[in-house]
Amino acid sequence: MVRSGVVVADIGTDHAYLPSYLVMSGKIPRAIACDLRQMPLENARETVERYNISDKIELRLSDGLDAVKPNEVQDIIIAGMGGTLTAQILERAQWLKDSGIRLILQPMTHAEDVRAFLCENGFEILKESACEDEGRVYISICAEFTGCKKKYPAGYEFYGELDRTDDLSQRFVKKQYVRIKKRADSLRAAGIKEDEAEYCEAACNGIERFLERE
Ligand SMILES: C[S@@+](CC[C@H](N)C(=O)[O-])C[C@H]1O[C@@H](n2cnc3c(N)ncnc32)[C@H](O)[C@@H]1O
């Protein structure tokens, strides 16, 4: 999902494996690799020194995008964090609405928080994909600000632009369905949080349509 030839910011880079791969494969010329903590940045330093690419990957201590300036980068990656934290990081950086910025997001949990943030703030999801590693399905979301004010169907935040004909996407969304259905059922059984129960039920109906594949 990263565009060729752009400068990338990798937020929460840890070992800087992803920006290192992008630079070494020739896909991008440079990257800014950021992390909240010093220890991961030391891991990142080891990686870029080992591969002799310290001149192409700048390491920065940064809470989210705080240490990245508008106009420094074109593509921004936030991978391997929870969806709630990912959405909070995006919310703090209003300049992401500048034209030409692309977001590549790989939330580990609560991807619905990321999609809800994007949809409510004028970002459009251009593409999503699912992949599997050691039995676990991971998803990536590619988005850009377009100012779009589309009305999305109920449950959209649980499947977004995943390909309904793809088995891994189906597996991922089915897992979300089970989680939300369980939540709805337990709220109904306890007779509490009527609004949330209604929200979960409407989402389940929407997700069922996605899972029908047609
Ligand atoms: C599980 S690692 C993910 C590493 C890599 N991005 C990947 O996908 O494999 C999460 C990293 O995010 C960093 N992190 C957590 N909160 C952060 C924040 N607010 N800003 C920047 N980095 C953060 C952690 O220090 C950690 O190194």
Side-chain angles (χ1 to χ4, degrees):
M1 290 172 174
V2 174
R3 293 172 292 187
S4 294
V6 298
V7 180
V8 165
D10 183 36
I11 308 302
T13 197
D14 201 354
H15 288 81
Y17 289 145
L18 183 50
S20 297
Y21 170 78
L22 290 168
V23 163
M24 288 164 70
S25 65
K27 178 131 193 180
I28 62 166
R30 279 186 316 112
I32 302 173
C34 301
D35 207 284
L36 178 64
R37 297 177 299 121
Q38 195 63 54
M39 195 55 211
L41 277 191
E42 288 309 315
N43 297 334
R45 190 174 316 282
E46 247 178 54
T47 304
V48 300
E49 284 175 1
R50 187 182 333 135
Y51 294 116
N52 209 13
I53 48 174
S54 308
D55 56 332
K56 297 194 173 79
I57 300 191
E58 190 186 329
L59 307 178
R60 286 190 196 167
L61 202 58
S62 178
D63 184 353
L65 284 146
D66 291 359
V68 181
K69 293 187 212 80
N71 304 324
E72 277 191 303
V73 295
Q74 290 87 51
D75 284 13
I76 293 167
I77 302 169
I78 308 179
M81 289 187 214
T84 313
L85 176 59
T86 301
Q88 286 164 356
I89 288 174
L90 296 175
E91 191 161 27
R92 288 215 316 272
Q94 283 300 312
W95 56 269
L96 297 180
K97 293 183 176 176
D98 293 355
S99 64
I101 298 278
R102 174 172 288 194
L103 306 176
I104 295 125
L105 311 167
Q106 188 261 303
M108 297 292 283
T109 54
H110 296 289
E112 69 272 18
D113 288 356
V114 175
R115 295 195 190 93
F117 169 84
L118 294 171
C119 296
E120 286 161 17
N121 289 279
F123 292 85
E124 223 167 322
I125 299 174
L126 308 177
K127 189 181 165 185
E128 293 199 28
S129 67
C131 68
E132 185 183 11
D133 187 47
E134 295 191 352
R136 179 169 175 177
V137 181
Y138 298 85
I139 58 148
S140 309
I141 301 170
C142 178
E144 262 177 29
F145 181 78
T146 60
C148 121
K149 294 190 172 85
K150 258 192 228 168
K151 175 122 180 57
Y152 292 93
Y156 178 82
E157 62 272 38
F158 293 95
Y159 55 83
E161 295 298 325
L162 284 168
D163 175 0
R164 69 179 66 206
T165 65
D166 169 52
D167 288 344
L168 288 179
S169 299
Q170 283 275 328
R171 233 169 85 189
F172 181 87
V173 176
K174 211 166 272 169
K175 203 166 161 194
Q176 311 308 308
Y177 177 81
V178 170
R179 176 166 63 89
I180 303 308
K181 181 86 172 63
K182 206 165 148 190
R183 178 74 182 153
D185 291 347
S186 64
L187 290 176
R188 286 298 185 208
I192 56 169
K193 299 190 179 177
E194 171 89 7
D195 287 355
E196 191 186 338
E198 269 175 26
Y199 162 78
C200 290
E201 284 163 356
C204 281
N205 289 336
I207 301 171
E208 277 167 21
R209 282 192 289 279
F210 176 92
L211 293 173
E212 282 161 11
R213 290 190 186 231
E214 285 304 319

